[in-house]
Amino acid sequence: MPKAKDTAESEHGTLSGAPLAEYSAEMALHPAALGAPEGQGPAPDRHQAILEAAKQVGSLLKRQGHCFAVAGSVAVHAHGGSGRLQNDADFCVRREDADAVAATLNEAGLSVVEPPEDWLWKAKCLGQDIDLLFELAHEPVTSEVLGRAVELPVDSVHMPVLAATDLVWSLLASFSEHHCDFGAVLPIARALREKVDWERVREDCSGAPMPEAFLYLLERLQVIAPASGT
């Protein structure tokens, strides 16, 4: 894996020969680009900042022909879900492609680092966190998962986004006794319910108590129909 650059240039990066630092400075001069009212200075809009970072990274990966898919809250947004983006932009890549993806980002001036966790690498773009995920809910990102991705606009840039079924499955399959936030996933399930193959989600989550409890809750709330045969 390429070493992260410890320079001002690597912190901000470049894209298509133009420093991303210049792009970031331009946005600061135009607060409306981040949702700030005109005349009130560059009040940061984290939601739009994350979208801008996702667009930059997605454009880089598309341009170099990498196989990837947007995941996480940015994927929910692309599928039509509501809510503000608060944390980072997630991109699914196969582990065997990680070095090539990191090289592309490093060549554009984005620093890529390998954290202690062995299922992702991290990067920075326009000051926002970027996660390169090799696993979803402890399952490896595969060619099949990426092949099911759908082309959707992330703000104004079209790029592959995890299929709604894979996206919702990844959220439910992540539930455990230590992490089980039904409240955060419920509005996502409501927003994406028409796009999800719920029978496949049930099959893939069969026997896992937390996901099954959440599916039962969705049935009781009439978000989804009961399982066939019940």
Side-chain angles (χ1 to χ4, degrees):
M1 169 187 166
K3 296 292 186 181
K5 299 178 183 178
D6 188 20
T7 66
E9 179 185 3
S10 68
E11 182 177 341
H12 294 287
T14 58
L15 181 61
S16 300
L20 287 181
E22 293 180 7
Y23 179 84
S24 182
E26 181 181 351
M27 292 181 68
L29 292 174
H30 298 280
L34 289 179
E38 291 286 353
Q40 293 187 12
D45 181 335
R46 186 74 184 279
H47 174 92
Q48 190 61 37
I50 292 172
L51 286 179
E52 293 296 333
K55 286 158 57 178
Q56 296 295 332
V57 172
S59 295
L60 278 170
L61 299 184
K62 280 179 59 179
R63 190 172 297 117
Q64 295 302 318
H66 292 296
C67 191
F68 72 97
V70 178
S73 61
V74 177
V76 173
H77 175 83
H79 276 289
S82 60
R84 307 293 289 174
L85 310 182
Q86 297 293 333
N87 297 314
D88 53 30
D90 297 324
F91 290 82
C92 290
V93 298
R94 297 172 300 197
R95 187 178 292 275
E96 58 265 32
D97 297 332
D99 285 324
V101 168
T104 291
L105 297 183
N106 277 329
E107 286 168 7
L110 306 182
S111 60
V112 180
V113 297
E114 186 174 355
E117 298 86 357
D118 62 359
W119 51 273
L120 84 166
W121 287 353
K122 289 182 171 290
K124 282 280 190 181
C125 180
L126 300 176
Q128 303 304 312
D129 291 326
I130 304 295
D131 285 354
L132 305 174
L133 307 177
F134 313 136
E135 296 181 3
L136 289 171
H138 307 294
E139 295 292 331
V141 173
T142 63
S143 298
E144 290 73 21
V145 169
L146 298 182
R148 290 194 294 266
V150 293
E151 195 83 3
L152 292 173
V154 174
D155 208 12
S156 59
V157 177
H158 283 75
M159 63 185 76
V161 177
L162 274 184
T165 299
D166 290 319
L167 178 58
V168 169
W169 164 81
S170 71
L171 297 173
L172 270 62
S174 296
F175 288 151
S176 69
E177 293 181 2
H178 303 289
H179 171 75
C180 195
D181 189 355
F182 285 5
V185 180
L186 178 57
I188 297 172
R190 286 186 186 275
L192 275 58
R193 60 183 172 180
E194 300 297 332
K195 296 184 174 184
V196 175
D197 182 346
W198 291 105
E199 291 304 315
R200 204 190 102 200
V201 172
R202 284 190 175 97
E203 181 180 348
D204 291 346
C205 293
S206 179
M210 300 305 180
E212 287 189 345
F214 184 74
L215 289 167
Y216 176 70
L217 175 64
L218 293 182
E219 293 177 9
R220 290 297 304 271
L221 293 175
Q222 298 184 339
V223 175
I224 62 174
S228 57
T230 60

Short mmCIF file of all heavy atoms in Angstrom, two decimals, residues 165-213:
data_model
loop_
_atom_site.label_atom_id
_atom_site.label_comp_id
_atom_site.label_asym_id
_atom_site.label_seq_id
_atom_site.Cartn_x
_atom_site.Cartn_y
_atom_site.Cartn_z
N THR A 165 -31.25 -3.65 -1.74
CA THR A 165 -31.33 -4.89 -0.95
C THR A 165 -30.02 -5.15 -0.22
O THR A 165 -30.02 -5.49 0.97
CB THR A 165 -31.69 -6.07 -1.87
OG1 THR A 165 -32.96 -5.83 -2.48
CG2 THR A 165 -31.75 -7.37 -1.07
N ASP A 166 -28.89 -5.00 -0.92
CA ASP A 166 -27.60 -5.21 -0.27
C ASP A 166 -27.35 -4.16 0.81
O ASP A 166 -26.78 -4.47 1.87
CB ASP A 166 -26.48 -5.15 -1.31
CG ASP A 166 -26.49 -6.35 -2.25
OD1 ASP A 166 -26.72 -7.47 -1.76
OD2 ASP A 166 -26.28 -6.15 -3.46
N LEU A 167 -27.78 -2.95 0.54
CA LEU A 167 -27.58 -1.88 1.51
C LEU A 167 -28.36 -2.14 2.79
O LEU A 167 -27.81 -2.07 3.90
CB LEU A 167 -28.01 -0.55 0.88
CG LEU A 167 -27.94 0.70 1.74
CD1 LEU A 167 -26.53 0.94 2.25
CD2 LEU A 167 -28.43 1.92 0.93
N VAL A 168 -29.64 -2.46 2.67
CA VAL A 168 -30.46 -2.73 3.86
C VAL A 168 -29.99 -3.99 4.57
O VAL A 168 -29.91 -4.04 5.80
CB VAL A 168 -31.94 -2.83 3.46
CG1 VAL A 168 -32.78 -3.36 4.62
CG2 VAL A 168 -32.45 -1.46 3.03
N TRP A 169 -29.65 -5.02 3.79
CA TRP A 169 -29.12 -6.23 4.43
C TRP A 169 -27.89 -5.91 5.27
O TRP A 169 -27.74 -6.39 6.40
CB TRP A 169 -28.75 -7.28 3.38
CG TRP A 169 -27.86 -8.34 3.97
CD1 TRP A 169 -28.24 -9.42 4.71
CD2 TRP A 169 -26.42 -8.35 3.95
NE1 TRP A 169 -27.12 -10.12 5.15
CE2 TRP A 169 -26.01 -9.48 4.69
CE3 TRP A 169 -25.46 -7.52 3.39
CZ2 TRP A 169 -24.66 -9.79 4.88
CZ3 TRP A 169 -24.12 -7.84 3.57
CH2 TRP A 169 -23.73 -8.96 4.29
N SER A 170 -26.98 -5.10 4.73
CA SER A 170 -25.74 -4.78 5.46
C SER A 170 -26.04 -4.08 6.78
O SER A 170 -25.34 -4.29 7.78
CB SER A 170 -24.81 -3.92 4.60
OG SER A 170 -25.31 -2.61 4.43
N LEU A 171 -27.09 -3.25 6.81
CA LEU A 171 -27.45 -2.56 8.04
C LEU A 171 -28.05 -3.53 9.06
O LEU A 171 -27.70 -3.50 10.25
CB LEU A 171 -28.45 -1.44 7.74
CG LEU A 171 -27.93 -0.31 6.84
CD1 LEU A 171 -29.06 0.64 6.47
CD2 LEU A 171 -26.79 0.44 7.51
N LEU A 172 -28.94 -4.41 8.59
CA LEU A 172 -29.57 -5.37 9.51
C LEU A 172 -28.57 -6.40 10.00
O LEU A 172 -28.57 -6.77 11.19
CB LEU A 172 -30.74 -6.06 8.83
CG LEU A 172 -32.11 -5.40 8.98
CD1 LEU A 172 -32.11 -4.00 8.37
CD2 LEU A 172 -33.20 -6.25 8.36
N ALA A 173 -27.72 -6.89 9.10
CA ALA A 173 -26.76 -7.93 9.47
C ALA A 173 -25.71 -7.41 10.44
O ALA A 173 -25.01 -8.21 11.09
CB ALA A 173 -26.09 -8.50 8.23
N SER A 174 -25.59 -6.09 10.56
CA SER A 174 -24.62 -5.51 11.49
C SER A 174 -25.17 -5.44 12.92
O SER A 174 -24.40 -5.18 13.86
CB SER A 174 -24.23 -4.09 11.04
OG SER A 174 -23.57 -4.13 9.80
N PHE A 175 -26.48 -5.66 13.09
CA PHE A 175 -27.05 -5.63 14.44
C PHE A 175 -26.46 -6.72 15.30
O PHE A 175 -26.26 -7.85 14.85
CB PHE A 175 -28.57 -5.82 14.38
CG PHE A 175 -29.34 -4.64 13.85
CD1 PHE A 175 -30.55 -4.83 13.19
CD2 PHE A 175 -28.88 -3.35 14.01
CE1 PHE A 175 -31.28 -3.76 12.71
CE2 PHE A 175 -29.59 -2.27 13.53
CZ PHE A 175 -30.80 -2.48 12.87
N SER A 176 -26.18 -6.38 16.55
CA SER A 176 -25.69 -7.36 17.52
C SER A 176 -26.13 -6.91 18.90
O SER A 176 -26.77 -5.87 19.06
CB SER A 176 -24.16 -7.47 17.46
OG SER A 176 -23.57 -6.27 17.96
N GLU A 177 -25.77 -7.66 19.91
CA GLU A 177 -26.10 -7.28 21.28
C GLU A 177 -25.39 -5.99 21.69
O GLU A 177 -25.82 -5.31 22.61
CB GLU A 177 -25.72 -8.41 22.25
CG GLU A 177 -26.56 -9.67 22.08
CD GLU A 177 -26.19 -10.74 23.06
OE1 GLU A 177 -25.29 -10.49 23.90
OE2 GLU A 177 -26.77 -11.84 22.99
N HIS A 178 -24.31 -5.66 21.00
CA HIS A 178 -23.54 -4.47 21.34
C HIS A 178 -23.87 -3.28 20.45
O HIS A 178 -23.50 -2.14 20.75
CB HIS A 178 -22.04 -4.76 21.24
CG HIS A 178 -21.61 -5.91 22.10
ND1 HIS A 178 -21.56 -5.82 23.48
CD2 HIS A 178 -21.23 -7.18 21.79
CE1 HIS A 178 -21.16 -6.99 23.99
NE2 HIS A 178 -20.96 -7.82 22.97
N HIS A 179 -24.55 -3.53 19.34
CA HIS A 179 -24.92 -2.45 18.42
C HIS A 179 -26.25 -2.82 17.78
O HIS A 179 -26.32 -3.69 16.91
CB HIS A 179 -23.86 -2.26 17.33
CG HIS A 179 -24.31 -1.31 16.25
ND1 HIS A 179 -24.35 0.05 16.44
CD2 HIS A 179 -24.74 -1.54 14.98
CE1 HIS A 179 -24.80 0.62 15.33
NE2 HIS A 179 -25.04 -0.32 14.43
N CYS A 180 -27.31 -2.16 18.23
CA CYS A 180 -28.64 -2.53 17.75
C CYS A 180 -29.54 -1.30 17.75
O CYS A 180 -30.51 -1.21 18.51
CB CYS A 180 -29.22 -3.63 18.63
SG CYS A 180 -30.64 -4.46 17.90
N ASP A 181 -29.23 -0.35 16.87
CA ASP A 181 -29.96 0.92 16.83
C ASP A 181 -31.09 0.82 15.80
O ASP A 181 -30.95 1.25 14.66
CB ASP A 181 -29.00 2.06 16.49
CG ASP A 181 -29.65 3.42 16.63
OD1 ASP A 181 -30.86 3.48 16.89
OD2 ASP A 181 -28.95 4.44 16.49
N PHE A 182 -32.22 0.27 16.23
CA PHE A 182 -33.37 0.15 15.34
C PHE A 182 -33.84 1.53 14.88
O PHE A 182 -34.30 1.70 13.76
CB PHE A 182 -34.52 -0.57 16.03
CG PHE A 182 -34.33 -2.06 16.17
CD1 PHE A 182 -33.16 -2.68 15.78
CD2 PHE A 182 -35.35 -2.84 16.69
CE1 PHE A 182 -32.99 -4.05 15.91
CE2 PHE A 182 -35.20 -4.21 16.82
CZ PHE A 182 -34.02 -4.82 16.43
N GLY A 183 -33.75 2.52 15.77
CA GLY A 183 -34.26 3.85 15.46
C GLY A 183 -33.57 4.49 14.28
O GLY A 183 -34.18 5.25 13.53
N ALA A 184 -32.27 4.21 14.10
CA ALA A 184 -31.53 4.81 12.99
C ALA A 184 -31.87 4.13 11.67
O ALA A 184 -31.87 4.78 10.61
CB ALA A 184 -30.03 4.71 13.26
N VAL A 185 -32.18 2.84 11.70
CA VAL A 185 -32.40 2.09 10.47
C VAL A 185 -33.87 2.11 10.04
O VAL A 185 -34.18 1.96 8.86
CB VAL A 185 -31.90 0.64 10.64
CG1 VAL A 185 -32.11 -0.19 9.37
CG2 VAL A 185 -30.42 0.63 11.02
N LEU A 186 -34.79 2.32 10.97
CA LEU A 186 -36.21 2.31 10.65
C LEU A 186 -36.57 3.30 9.54
O LEU A 186 -37.25 2.92 8.57
CB LEU A 186 -37.04 2.57 11.91
CG LEU A 186 -38.55 2.62 11.72
CD1 LEU A 186 -39.07 1.33 11.10
CD2 LEU A 186 -39.24 2.88 13.07
N PRO A 187 -36.16 4.58 9.61
CA PRO A 187 -36.52 5.49 8.52
C PRO A 187 -35.89 5.10 7.18
O PRO A 187 -36.46 5.38 6.12
CB PRO A 187 -36.01 6.85 9.00
CG PRO A 187 -35.01 6.55 10.06
CD PRO A 187 -35.45 5.28 10.70
N ILE A 188 -34.74 4.44 7.22
CA ILE A 188 -34.11 3.98 5.99
C ILE A 188 -34.94 2.87 5.37
O ILE A 188 -35.21 2.85 4.15
CB ILE A 188 -32.67 3.50 6.26
CG1 ILE A 188 -31.81 4.65 6.77
CG2 ILE A 188 -32.06 2.86 5.02
CD1 ILE A 188 -30.44 4.25 7.24
N ALA A 189 -35.38 1.92 6.21
CA ALA A 189 -36.23 0.83 5.72
C ALA A 189 -37.53 1.37 5.13
O ALA A 189 -38.00 0.88 4.10
CB ALA A 189 -36.51 -0.15 6.85
N ARG A 190 -38.11 2.37 5.78
CA ARG A 190 -39.34 2.98 5.25
C ARG A 190 -39.10 3.61 3.88
O ARG A 190 -39.88 3.43 2.95
CB ARG A 190 -39.85 4.05 6.22
CG ARG A 190 -40.49 3.55 7.48
CD ARG A 190 -41.07 4.74 8.25
NE ARG A 190 -41.58 4.37 9.54
CZ ARG A 190 -42.81 3.89 9.77
NH1 ARG A 190 -43.61 3.70 8.74
NH2 ARG A 190 -43.20 3.59 10.99
N ALA A 191 -38.01 4.36 3.77
CA ALA A 191 -37.74 5.09 2.53
C ALA A 191 -37.41 4.17 1.36
O ALA A 191 -37.77 4.46 0.22
CB ALA A 191 -36.61 6.08 2.76
N LEU A 192 -36.73 3.06 1.64
CA LEU A 192 -36.24 2.19 0.57
C LEU A 192 -37.09 0.93 0.38
O LEU A 192 -36.76 0.09 -0.45
CB LEU A 192 -34.80 1.77 0.85
CG LEU A 192 -33.68 2.72 0.39
CD1 LEU A 192 -33.83 4.11 1.00
CD2 LEU A 192 -32.31 2.14 0.72
N ARG A 193 -38.20 0.80 1.11
CA ARG A 193 -38.91 -0.48 1.16
C ARG A 193 -39.35 -0.98 -0.21
O ARG A 193 -39.37 -2.20 -0.44
CB ARG A 193 -40.11 -0.37 2.09
CG ARG A 193 -41.15 0.67 1.70
CD ARG A 193 -42.25 0.74 2.73
NE ARG A 193 -43.16 1.84 2.48
CZ ARG A 193 -44.20 2.12 3.23
NH1 ARG A 193 -44.46 1.36 4.30
NH2 ARG A 193 -45.00 3.14 2.96
N GLU A 194 -39.71 -0.07 -1.12
CA GLU A 194 -40.18 -0.51 -2.44
C GLU A 194 -39.05 -1.03 -3.31
O GLU A 194 -39.29 -1.70 -4.31
CB GLU A 194 -40.89 0.65 -3.15
CG GLU A 194 -42.10 1.19 -2.42
CD GLU A 194 -43.20 0.15 -2.27
OE1 GLU A 194 -43.27 -0.76 -3.12
OE2 GLU A 194 -43.98 0.24 -1.30
N LYS A 195 -37.81 -0.74 -2.95
CA LYS A 195 -36.66 -1.15 -3.75
C LYS A 195 -36.00 -2.43 -3.23
O LYS A 195 -35.08 -2.95 -3.87
CB LYS A 195 -35.60 -0.04 -3.77
CG LYS A 195 -36.03 1.25 -4.44
CD LYS A 195 -34.86 2.23 -4.47
CE LYS A 195 -35.19 3.47 -5.26
NZ LYS A 195 -34.03 4.39 -5.37
N VAL A 196 -36.44 -2.90 -2.06
CA VAL A 196 -35.75 -3.98 -1.37
C VAL A 196 -36.44 -5.32 -1.61
O VAL A 196 -37.68 -5.41 -1.55
CB VAL A 196 -35.68 -3.70 0.14
CG1 VAL A 196 -35.06 -4.88 0.90
CG2 VAL A 196 -34.88 -2.42 0.41
N ASP A 197 -35.66 -6.35 -1.87
CA ASP A 197 -36.16 -7.73 -1.93
C ASP A 197 -36.17 -8.26 -0.50
O ASP A 197 -35.17 -8.81 -0.01
CB ASP A 197 -35.26 -8.58 -2.83
CG ASP A 197 -35.75 -10.02 -2.96
OD1 ASP A 197 -36.61 -10.44 -2.17
OD2 ASP A 197 -35.23 -10.73 -3.85
N TRP A 198 -37.29 -8.08 0.19
CA TRP A 198 -37.35 -8.42 1.61
C TRP A 198 -37.26 -9.91 1.85
O TRP A 198 -36.75 -10.33 2.90
CB TRP A 198 -38.63 -7.84 2.22
CG TRP A 198 -38.59 -6.35 2.30
CD1 TRP A 198 -39.24 -5.46 1.51
CD2 TRP A 198 -37.80 -5.57 3.21
NE1 TRP A 198 -38.92 -4.16 1.85
CE2 TRP A 198 -38.04 -4.20 2.90
CE3 TRP A 198 -36.92 -5.88 4.24
CZ2 TRP A 198 -37.42 -3.16 3.60
CZ3 TRP A 198 -36.30 -4.84 4.93
CH2 TRP A 198 -36.56 -3.51 4.61
N GLU A 199 -37.72 -10.73 0.91
CA GLU A 199 -37.58 -12.18 1.08
C GLU A 199 -36.11 -12.58 1.09
O GLU A 199 -35.70 -13.46 1.85
CB GLU A 199 -38.34 -12.92 -0.03
CG GLU A 199 -39.85 -12.80 0.08
CD GLU A 199 -40.37 -13.28 1.43
OE1 GLU A 199 -39.93 -14.35 1.89
OE2 GLU A 199 -41.20 -12.57 2.03
N ARG A 200 -35.32 -11.93 0.24
CA ARG A 200 -33.89 -12.23 0.24
C ARG A 200 -33.22 -11.76 1.53
O ARG A 200 -32.36 -12.44 2.09
CB ARG A 200 -33.21 -11.57 -0.97
CG ARG A 200 -31.92 -12.30 -1.36
CD ARG A 200 -31.14 -11.52 -2.37
NE ARG A 200 -30.02 -10.84 -1.72
CZ ARG A 200 -29.39 -9.81 -2.24
NH1 ARG A 200 -29.78 -9.29 -3.38
NH2 ARG A 200 -28.38 -9.27 -1.59
N VAL A 201 -33.64 -10.59 2.02
CA VAL A 201 -33.10 -10.10 3.29
C VAL A 201 -33.43 -11.07 4.40
O VAL A 201 -32.58 -11.41 5.24
CB VAL A 201 -33.63 -8.69 3.61
CG1 VAL A 201 -33.22 -8.26 5.02
CG2 VAL A 201 -33.13 -7.68 2.58
N ARG A 202 -34.69 -11.55 4.44
CA ARG A 202 -35.10 -12.52 5.46
C ARG A 202 -34.26 -13.78 5.38
O ARG A 202 -33.81 -14.32 6.39
CB ARG A 202 -36.57 -12.88 5.30
CG ARG A 202 -37.56 -11.83 5.78
CD ARG A 202 -38.96 -12.41 5.78
NE ARG A 202 -39.92 -11.48 6.34
CZ ARG A 202 -40.67 -10.66 5.61
NH1 ARG A 202 -40.56 -10.67 4.29
NH2 ARG A 202 -41.53 -9.84 6.19
N GLU A 203 -34.05 -14.26 4.16
CA GLU A 203 -33.27 -15.49 3.97
C GLU A 203 -31.84 -15.30 4.43
O GLU A 203 -31.27 -16.15 5.13
CB GLU A 203 -33.30 -15.90 2.51
CG GLU A 203 -32.53 -17.17 2.21
CD GLU A 203 -32.59 -17.56 0.75
OE1 GLU A 203 -33.41 -16.98 0.01
OE2 GLU A 203 -31.81 -18.45 0.33
N ASP A 204 -31.23 -14.17 4.06
CA ASP A 204 -29.84 -13.94 4.41
C ASP A 204 -29.65 -13.67 5.90
O ASP A 204 -28.55 -13.87 6.43
CB ASP A 204 -29.28 -12.76 3.60
CG ASP A 204 -29.14 -13.10 2.13
OD1 ASP A 204 -29.20 -14.29 1.78
OD2 ASP A 204 -28.96 -12.16 1.32
N CYS A 205 -30.70 -13.16 6.57
CA CYS A 205 -30.60 -12.86 8.00
C CYS A 205 -31.22 -13.96 8.87
O CYS A 205 -31.31 -13.80 10.09
CB CYS A 205 -31.29 -11.54 8.32
SG CYS A 205 -30.47 -10.09 7.61
N SER A 206 -31.63 -15.05 8.25
CA SER A 206 -32.32 -16.12 8.98
C SER A 206 -31.48 -16.65 10.12
O SER A 206 -30.29 -16.94 9.95
CB SER A 206 -32.67 -17.26 8.02
OG SER A 206 -33.31 -18.31 8.71
N GLY A 207 -32.09 -16.75 11.29
CA GLY A 207 -31.41 -17.30 12.46
C GLY A 207 -30.69 -16.27 13.30
O GLY A 207 -30.24 -16.59 14.41
N ALA A 208 -30.57 -15.03 12.82
CA ALA A 208 -29.91 -13.97 13.59
C ALA A 208 -30.98 -13.22 14.38
O ALA A 208 -31.87 -12.61 13.78
CB ALA A 208 -29.16 -13.02 12.66
N PRO A 209 -30.94 -13.26 15.69
CA PRO A 209 -32.06 -12.74 16.50
C PRO A 209 -32.33 -11.25 16.31
O PRO A 209 -33.49 -10.84 16.24
CB PRO A 209 -31.65 -13.06 17.94
CG PRO A 209 -30.18 -13.29 17.91
CD PRO A 209 -29.89 -13.85 16.56
N MET A 210 -31.30 -10.42 16.24
CA MET A 210 -31.53 -8.97 16.15
C MET A 210 -32.14 -8.58 14.80
O MET A 210 -33.14 -7.85 14.76
CB MET A 210 -30.24 -8.21 16.42
CG MET A 210 -29.64 -8.46 17.80
SD MET A 210 -30.84 -8.14 19.14
CE MET A 210 -29.82 -8.53 20.56
N PRO A 211 -31.58 -9.03 13.68
CA PRO A 211 -32.23 -8.72 12.40
C PRO A 211 -33.65 -9.27 12.31
O PRO A 211 -34.54 -8.60 11.77
CB PRO A 211 -31.31 -9.38 11.37
CG PRO A 211 -29.98 -9.43 12.03
CD PRO A 211 -30.27 -9.69 13.47
N GLU A 212 -33.86 -10.48 12.83
CA GLU A 212 -35.21 -11.05 12.77
C GLU A 212 -36.18 -10.24 13.62
O GLU A 212 -37.35 -10.05 13.24
CB GLU A 212 -35.19 -12.50 13.22
CG GLU A 212 -34.55 -13.44 12.20
CD GLU A 212 -34.74 -14.90 12.55
OE1 GLU A 212 -35.10 -15.19 13.72
OE2 GLU A 212 -34.52 -15.75 11.66
N ALA A 213 -35.71 -9.72 14.74
CA ALA A 213 -36.57 -8.87 15.58
C ALA A 213 -36.92 -7.58 14.84
O ALA A 213 -38.05 -7.10 14.91
CB ALA A 213 -35.87 -8.56 16.90
#
